[in-house]
Amino acid sequence: MSPNDRSLKARHQAFPIHPGRIFTWTLLFLGGVVMVTPILFMLSTSLKDASQVYDLRLIPEAPSLDNYKVVLSDGRFLRWFLNSVIVAVCVTLSNVFFDSLVGYTLAKFQFRGRYLVFLAILSTLMIPTEMLVIPWYLMASSFGWIDSYWGIMFPGMMTAFGTFLMKQFFETVPDEFLEAARVDGLNEFTIWWRVAMPLVTPALSALAIFTFLGNWTAFFWPLIVTNSRELYTLPIGLSSFAVEQAIQWEMIMTGASLATIPTLIVFLLLQRYIVRGVMLAGLKG
Amino acid sequence: MATIALEGLVKQYGKATVVHGIDLHIRDGEFVVLVGPSGCGKSTTLRMIAGLEDISAGTIKIGDRVVNEAEPKDRNIAMVFQNYAIYPHMSVAQNIGFGLYKSTLPEREKRARISEAARVLGLDALLDRRPSQLSGGQRQRVAIGRAMVRDPTAFLFDEPLSNLDAQLRAQMRIEIKKLHQRLGKTIVFVTHDQVEAMTMADRIVVMRDGRILQVGTPMDLYENPADIFTARFIGSPAMNLLPARLTADADGVRAELPELGASLTLGRFPRDEVTGSQAFIGVRPHDLVVGRHDGQGLTLTGRVSIVEPLGSETLVHIDVAGIPIIASAPGRAIPKVDDLVGVHALTGSLYLFDAETERALCRV
Ligand SMILES: Nc1ncnc2c1ncn2[C@@H]1O[C@H](COP(=O)(O)OP(=O)(O)OP(=O)(O)O)[C@@H](O)[C@H]1O
Ligand SMILES: [Mg+2]
């Protein structure tokens, strides 16, 4: 037993668990249960057959992967899945690139009207999506973008929120890093890409996760802008399972379970970059 | 040709002027050290030379080219920043190599330069580490390395040794001097430390409140300081200053030090009109020696308050009528605390300053 363990143990005995702590933990636990239960039911339902869907036991009587076979062998599902991947990946990359480019410019360059530009971008945050859908639709239809990937993606290629987030983070990057690169002869674009961007990876990962999740689950706009089934994204495709024939809950749940996989992958890949406090190591103080 | 010429250089932040029209001509291959108290505009001047700070008035020439409007990347200057600014997302090797980002050298040559710099800076064993795994002194050396691998027209150093321990600092002083001798590049070096200034500089520029007080070789500044500030700044420990009153009599001008019970014959004096005015007599601790002498000069008597043996000599702090003075005792003759001792400085080692303008009047 290392001295450290011993002191930990001693501390446990000396300070009995505080009642407030128990309350906090209980609340957190209940919150966790509320969050996790629907996911468990989703998984459980996906393993049941149609006759057992309304049997609310969590562990299915005869669990089987038949639903998965059906869904995965249905060409439509794979198509929708692919559509969602294409849309979410493109929009995420575009956001990571353009939001941070604009955020960096607003944070690190002094120019006339800078504050005004920032305010203008910020003010768009106050307009709800529902109000924008009709203008978007009119715009898309006059450009001939209805029922195309670009039509689904264009409203989200840059977001005010992402720009704001990146601006705030770039403001914490000390100027000396950029100046050192400037003196070493790099041009401004390379400085942004090679020096500033790596310093804000936590923010970039957070932005990427938010954007990916947001677009992966987006329903309203893709529903409006697409007509042909081949262009449906996953959420719309899944909901079309529901209206077609009788609602096939087990199929919807199977599709939904499969749909969580990419979000998990994205999260697991990116969350390790959300480590704070890397930046200060390069400076004195 | 990498001369650097500053002409009437002014920097204003809003209404505040922090650099007031500096004129300075730095010769090709010269090692110039800027010294001065904190906030006097050393970093600002350096940043203007590098092009990181717009200049409010005046011109900067590098070689024959006016670079007022040139971007930093077009000035081909290497700079070491006061707070290092090494990149936390890169290893030590990558950080040092970043200085070569724009270089067109072959990969092999680049690697050779990086390992050479690492060897000189004692960083060989740390090349794969991240900055967060380095001590302050090691980070500072990485920052120096990033400048060393380059082939610039001039180097700018902003207090690059401030975070090193005494031994490493002495070693790095030598390395930077060697770098200078090997490459023969112009170097502008900022420091607080007068020892660094004295030991490294071809010429020292003493600054205060955004102005240049004096420019000269280290010995020049040591021997002929233009004013009290420079006199006290150059040389360690700082020069003693004794308040005096100038009077004239038949033999010429005399300086009376009534509180200290001493007086001094100055002989012929260049400027009679100062007669009757207040002055300061300056004497360096090294020239103010414990023990009686017969020669002409200044003799004081006081009580020893502290002794600081340095080995080769001993600094003796004495209290002369309430004024603390530092003198020196040679070799092993170390006086005891509370002893009453006499100290003596020979004529020729004394400096006379006008008390009002603080300008140097003459040496006596
Ligand atoms: N961005 C700024 N805005 C306003 N004043 C500034 C700015 N940068 C520096 N100053 C002022 O300019 C003066 C000179 O600063 P500078 O950094 O050149 O000093 P320094 O001689 O390098 O001091 P130190 O030895 O402490 O590094 C200081 O009084 C400082 O307050
Ligand atoms: Mg400074």
Side-chain angles (χ1 to χ4, degrees):
Chain A
M1 201 185 200
S2 76
N4 232 340
D5 295 341
R6 216 173 297 140
S7 72
L8 261 182
K9 195 150 200 192
R11 207 160 38 189
H12 271 290
Q13 283 154 2
F15 302 98
I17 297 164
H18 196 270
R21 273 289 175 87
I22 297 180
F23 181 69
T24 318
W25 286 340
T26 314
L27 265 188
L28 285 175
F29 177 75
L30 289 178
V33 169
V34 169
M35 298 294 209
V36 169
T37 310
I39 297 175
L40 290 179
F41 267 102
M42 176 184 80
L43 284 173
S44 142
T45 310
S46 75
L47 299 173
K48 294 172 180 173
D49 75 30
S51 61
Q52 290 174 321
V53 165
Y54 295 102
D55 170 10
L56 288 184
R57 264 176 298 180
L58 199 55
I59 314 277
E61 212 167 305
S64 83
L65 292 174
D66 289 348
N67 296 335
Y68 286 88
K69 281 184 204 138
V70 173
V71 167
L72 286 175
S73 58
D74 184 336
R76 290 177 305 171
F77 179 83
L78 289 181
R79 179 68 206 240
W80 298 334
F81 196 93
L82 189 69
N83 288 346
S84 273
V85 170
I86 291 172
V87 168
V89 167
C90 288
V91 174
T92 303
L93 290 181
S94 161
N95 267 282
V96 164
F97 187 83
F98 289 110
D99 290 357
S100 50
L101 193 58
V102 175
Y104 176 76
T105 310
L106 289 174
K108 287 298 175 195
F109 290 92
Q110 311 288 333
F111 54 90
R112 209 180 287 270
R114 175 172 84 133
Y115 191 63
L116 217 64
V117 172
F118 179 58
L119 275 189
I121 291 176
L122 211 57
S123 64
T124 65
L125 274 179
M126 291 159 205
I127 307 171
T129 316
E130 288 76 5
M131 269 179 70
L132 292 169
V133 162
I134 293 172
W136 284 346
Y137 189 86
L138 293 176
M139 191 172 152
S141 80
S142 53
F143 280 117
W145 294 344
I146 302 286
D147 213 21
S148 68
Y149 282 127
W150 177 246
I152 304 174
M153 294 189 290
F154 85 88
M157 294 303 266
M158 246 193 88
T159 59
F161 171 74
T163 308
F164 173 72
L165 182 82
M166 294 318 299
K167 172 183 179 281
Q168 297 308 106
F169 268 84
F170 278 120
E171 268 170 5
T172 67
V173 173
D175 286 335
E176 278 86 356
F177 286 137
L178 315 177
E179 290 172 345
R182 237 161 247 159
V183 172
D184 281 339
L186 276 68
N187 63 37
E188 293 300 328
F189 185 83
T190 326
I191 293 172
W192 169 70
W193 184 247
R194 291 295 311 270
V195 176
M197 286 291 265
L199 292 173
V200 294
T201 35
L204 287 176
S205 335
L207 178 63
I209 290 176
F210 288 144
T211 315
F212 188 89
L213 293 189
N215 281 279
W216 188 256
T217 55
F219 185 79
F220 193 37
W221 174 247
L223 176 68
I224 289 173
V225 83
T226 54
N227 301 324
S228 46
R229 298 187 129 252
E230 291 73 55
L231 275 171
Y232 280 1
T233 55
L234 204 48
I236 300 163
L238 286 181
S239 74
S240 77
F241 271 153
V243 285
E244 256 171 20
Q245 308 109 21
I247 301 179
Q248 294 176 295
W249 281 116
E250 72 288 1
M251 291 301 159
I252 294 179
M253 287 305 149
T254 308
S257 303
L258 288 170
T260 55
I261 293 172
T263 61
L264 282 180
I265 292 176
V266 166
F267 187 76
L268 290 178
L269 276 182
L270 293 181
Q271 58 112 23
R272 66 198 166 101
Y273 292 108
I274 309 186
V275 195
R276 287 172 305 135
V278 270
M279 194 147 56
L280 295 178
L283 286 180
K284 173 153 125 189
Chain B
M1 262 270 288
T3 59
I4 300 175
L6 315 181
E7 284 158 11
L9 194 63
V10 174
K11 179 67 194 179
Q12 289 166 323
Y13 288 112
K15 286 208 173 64
T17 308
V18 299
V19 173
H20 301 261
I22 283 184
D23 290 298
L24 181 65
H25 287 259
I26 299 169
R27 290 186 280 271
D28 186 29
E30 195 175 22
F31 197 132
V32 167
V33 173
L34 306 183
V35 295
S38 186
C40 70
K42 307 182 295 291
S43 297
T44 307
T45 307
L46 218 53
R47 291 166 55 81
M48 286 192 284
I49 298 175
L52 295 170
E53 211 76 67
D54 289 335
I55 65 181
S56 309
T59 48
I60 299 182
K61 275 195 218 163
I62 298 178
D64 295 328
R65 190 164 74 107
V66 175
V67 293
N68 284 14
E69 301 294 328
E71 293 292 320
K73 68 178 163 65
D74 300 326
R75 300 191 187 192
N76 193 22
I77 271 175
M79 179 160 175
V80 177
F81 286 76
Q82 193 165 0
N83 52 6
Y84 333 140
I86 55 175
Y87 306 120
H89 58 287
M90 297 181 196
S91 68
V92 168
Q94 286 170 322
N95 261 295
I96 295 178
F98 205 77
L100 295 171
Y101 191 82
K102 291 294 279 186
S103 142
T104 50
L105 292 173
E107 204 55 40
R108 203 160 43 86
E109 170 70 7
K110 284 188 185 177
R111 247 172 303 159
R113 284 202 186 188
I114 294 170
S115 51
E116 166 66 9
R119 192 189 56 74
V120 167
L121 297 164
L123 294 169
D124 335 39
L126 308 174
L127 281 173
D128 294 325
R129 294 235 193 131
R130 296 277 161 148
S132 57
Q133 299 163 317
L134 299 179
S135 73
Q138 290 164 339
R139 289 176 200 179
Q140 203 153 42
R141 281 180 279 156
V142 174
I144 297 176
R146 187 171 60 197
M148 268 175 69
V149 293
R150 283 190 49 192
D151 195 16
T153 46
F155 288 97
L156 308 179
F157 289 95
D158 199 349
E159 305 194 25
L161 308 184
S162 57
N163 259 46
L164 307 183
D165 63 45
Q167 201 180 351
L168 203 51
R169 188 186 285 224
Q171 196 182 323
M172 292 303 302
R173 274 206 311 259
I174 306 222
E175 290 301 341
I176 292 180
K177 257 190 128 160
K178 274 194 200 153
L179 180 80
H180 178 236
Q181 281 164 6
R182 196 172 69 226
L183 303 178
K185 303 282 184 187
T186 311
I187 294 185
V188 186
F189 188 104
V190 168
T191 179
H192 270 117
D193 181 1
Q194 64 92 24
V195 178
E196 261 167 43
M198 291 291 284
T199 54
M200 302 176 82
D202 291 331
R203 274 195 306 163
I204 298 177
V205 177
V206 184
M207 289 180 67
R208 186 187 187 181
D209 298 336
R211 291 192 175 81
I212 291 180
L213 292 183
Q214 192 174 1
V215 182
T217 63
M219 282 324 286
D220 207 17
L221 261 58
Y222 187 83
E223 295 291 343
N224 300 304
D227 60 9
I228 288 181
F229 179 81
T230 309
R232 286 190 55 87
F233 195 84
I234 302 291
S236 170
M239 181 186 278
N240 297 299
L241 287 178
L242 313 170
R245 194 182 154 71
L246 303 180
T247 57
D249 64 13
D251 308 333
V253 181
R254 293 180 61 76
E256 307 279 354
L257 293 80
E259 299 104 81
L260 307 184
S263 75
L264 191 62
T265 308
L266 302 175
R268 30 167 198 75
F269 195 70
R271 288 162 60 193
D272 288 334
E273 72 274 15
V274 296
T275 303
S277 67
Q278 291 294 326
F280 282 107
I281 306 262
V283 55
R284 295 196 184 275
H286 181 74
D287 296 323
L288 190 61
V289 182
V290 174
R292 303 240 163 234
H293 282 260
D294 303 328
Q296 278 274 335
L298 176 71
T299 305
L300 301 167
T301 312
R303 207 167 278 287
V304 177
S305 58
I306 295 174
V307 289
E308 295 182 280
L310 299 178
S312 59
E313 64 175 357
T314 300
L315 297 179
V316 183
H317 296 243
I318 58 176
D319 187 89
V320 184
I323 299 180
I325 285 169
I326 305 179
S328 60
R332 294 178 192 79
I334 302 176
K336 292 203 179 54
V337 171
D338 276 345
D339 276 1
L340 204 59
V341 296
V343 292
H344 188 91
L346 287 174
T347 309
S349 63
L350 302 172
Y351 301 79
L352 192 65
F353 300 98
D354 188 313
E356 204 153 309
T357 62
E358 302 203 340
R359 305 288 301 170
L361 294 173
C362 63
R363 287 192 65 162
V364 279

Short mmCIF file of all heavy atoms in Angstrom, two decimals, chain B residues 39 42-44 82 158-159 190 192, ligand 2:
data_model
loop_
_atom_site.label_atom_id
_atom_site.label_comp_id
_atom_site.label_asym_id
_atom_site.label_seq_id
_atom_site.Cartn_x
_atom_site.Cartn_y
_atom_site.Cartn_z
N GLY B 39 9.96 48.95 -18.64
CA GLY B 39 8.99 49.89 -19.18
C GLY B 39 9.61 51.06 -19.94
O GLY B 39 8.91 52.00 -20.29
N LYS B 42 12.28 49.19 -24.43
CA LYS B 42 13.23 48.31 -25.11
C LYS B 42 12.50 47.32 -26.02
O LYS B 42 12.81 47.20 -27.21
CB LYS B 42 14.07 47.52 -24.08
CG LYS B 42 14.74 48.38 -23.05
CD LYS B 42 15.58 47.56 -22.09
CE LYS B 42 14.78 46.60 -21.22
NZ LYS B 42 13.94 47.24 -20.22
N SER B 43 11.52 46.62 -25.45
CA SER B 43 10.79 45.64 -26.26
C SER B 43 10.07 46.32 -27.40
O SER B 43 10.05 45.81 -28.53
CB SER B 43 9.76 44.90 -25.40
OG SER B 43 10.40 44.16 -24.40
N THR B 44 9.49 47.48 -27.14
CA THR B 44 8.77 48.20 -28.18
C THR B 44 9.71 48.53 -29.34
O THR B 44 9.36 48.35 -30.51
CB THR B 44 8.16 49.49 -27.60
OG1 THR B 44 7.40 49.13 -26.45
CG2 THR B 44 7.28 50.18 -28.60
N GLN B 82 10.49 37.75 -25.32
CA GLN B 82 10.67 37.83 -23.87
C GLN B 82 9.96 36.69 -23.16
O GLN B 82 10.44 36.17 -22.17
CB GLN B 82 10.14 39.18 -23.39
CG GLN B 82 10.53 39.53 -21.98
CD GLN B 82 10.30 41.00 -21.68
OE1 GLN B 82 9.85 41.78 -22.51
NE2 GLN B 82 10.61 41.40 -20.48
N ASP B 158 15.08 39.43 -27.01
CA ASP B 158 14.44 40.18 -25.94
C ASP B 158 14.59 39.43 -24.62
O ASP B 158 13.84 38.51 -24.33
CB ASP B 158 12.96 40.41 -26.26
CG ASP B 158 12.38 41.55 -25.44
OD1 ASP B 158 13.06 42.00 -24.50
OD2 ASP B 158 11.25 41.98 -25.74
N GLU B 159 15.55 39.83 -23.86
CA GLU B 159 15.85 39.20 -22.57
C GLU B 159 15.83 37.68 -22.64
O GLU B 159 15.08 37.03 -21.91
CB GLU B 159 14.87 39.70 -21.50
CG GLU B 159 14.86 41.21 -21.43
CD GLU B 159 14.17 41.73 -20.20
OE1 GLU B 159 14.11 41.00 -19.21
OE2 GLU B 159 13.72 42.88 -20.24
N VAL B 190 18.32 42.76 -25.88
CA VAL B 190 17.76 43.54 -24.79
C VAL B 190 18.01 42.82 -23.48
O VAL B 190 17.88 41.61 -23.40
CB VAL B 190 16.23 43.72 -24.99
CG1 VAL B 190 15.59 44.27 -23.73
CG2 VAL B 190 15.96 44.63 -26.16
N HIS B 192 18.11 43.39 -18.88
CA HIS B 192 18.07 44.19 -17.65
C HIS B 192 19.42 44.15 -16.95
O HIS B 192 19.67 44.89 -16.02
CB HIS B 192 17.10 43.53 -16.65
CG HIS B 192 15.72 44.01 -16.77
ND1 HIS B 192 14.70 43.19 -17.12
CD2 HIS B 192 15.18 45.22 -16.57
CE1 HIS B 192 13.59 43.87 -17.13
NE2 HIS B 192 13.85 45.10 -16.82
MG MG C 2 10.39 44.07 -22.55
#
